[in-house]
């Protein structure tokens, strides 16, 4: 019989499932970010207990990722509010448009909600700047002016 007609199992023909990639560098988190990681771990533990067998492997992979993120989490120092840092909300003006961004850890980032990871090019450009300072934009948009810096309460 030709090998083309032989099939040992359906699993051979599925796409391989790789581990979830970890962001490079340190896992710096805000207090809110740490709470989100802890909650995700707890939710996965509960979900795995009642999950059907076909979902179990995917959930275990997710749990390995989130447990790794919890084990490597480093709380960011409490910002002083004088410079842009992880855990601050910064108001900027770019191309005549005002924007408000919160600098957070990788797992907490949500650009649609105005939360960007400290490793993002825009956040990287802003880190360490002070109110009134103009910084070079990481893109073709010229400069960014820091209008205000606010320390986010630990939640």
């Amino acid at each position: 019989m030709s090998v083309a007609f032989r099939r040992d199992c359906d699993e051979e023909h599925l796409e391989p499932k790789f581990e979830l990639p970890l962001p490079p560098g340190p896992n710096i988190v805000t207090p809110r970010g740490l709470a989100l990681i802890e909650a995700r771990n707890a939710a996965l533990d509960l979900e795995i207990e009642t999950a059907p067998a076909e979902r179990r492997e995917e959930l275990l992979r997710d749990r390995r990722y989130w447990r790794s993120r919890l084990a490597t989490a480093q709380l960011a120092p409490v910002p002083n509010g004088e410079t842009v840092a992880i855990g601050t909300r910064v108001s900027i003006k770019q191309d005549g448009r005002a924007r408000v961004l919160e600098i957070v850890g990788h797992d907490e980032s949500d650009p649609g909600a105005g939360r960007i990871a400290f490793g993002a090019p825009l956040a990287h450009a802003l880190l360490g700047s002070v109110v009134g300072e103009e910084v070079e934009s990481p893109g073709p948009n010229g400069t960014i002016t820091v209008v205000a810096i606010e320390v986010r309460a630990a939640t």
Side-chain angles (χ1 to χ4, degrees):
M1 176 185 271
S2 170
V3 182
F5 295 106
R6 203 181 74 193
R7 192 157 137 183
D8 292 328
C9 73
D10 287 336
E11 290 291 317
E12 294 178 7
H13 305 288
L14 297 176
E15 288 291 319
K17 292 195 170 58
F18 299 104
E19 292 297 313
L20 297 173
L22 295 171
N27 182 17
I28 301 173
V29 299
T30 64
R32 179 183 182 274
L34 182 58
L36 289 171
I37 292 170
E38 289 170 339
R40 184 66 185 135
N41 271 287
L44 278 167
D45 287 344
L46 288 174
E47 194 174 354
I48 287 170
E49 288 178 17
T50 60
E54 60 271 5
R55 287 233 353 161
R56 193 164 167 75
E57 186 176 327
E58 178 185 349
L59 291 170
L60 289 171
R61 181 191 64 176
D62 288 351
R63 184 169 69 177
R64 284 190 298 274
Y65 173 86
W66 288 105
R67 283 201 172 159
S68 170
R69 298 307 283 169
L70 184 59
T72 60
Q74 302 171 28
L75 267 176
V78 176
N80 62 14
E82 295 177 18
T83 61
V84 176
I86 298 169
T88 58
R89 180 176 282 180
V90 58
S91 299
I92 62 171
K93 194 166 214 169
Q94 182 179 23
D95 292 334
R97 289 186 13 213
R99 289 175 67 186
V100 178
L101 302 168
E102 189 173 349
I103 312 297
V104 297
H106 291 289
D107 296 314
E108 187 181 358
S109 71
D110 181 0
R115 287 189 294 274
I116 60 173
F118 66 89
L122 179 57
H124 199 288
L126 291 169
L127 287 172
S129 59
V130 296
V131 173
E133 186 174 346
E134 289 188 357
V135 296
E136 275 303 308
S137 171
N141 298 337
T143 60
I144 303 166
T145 304
V146 177
V147 177
I149 301 169
E150 174 188 348
V151 176
R152 300 297 298 155
T155 55

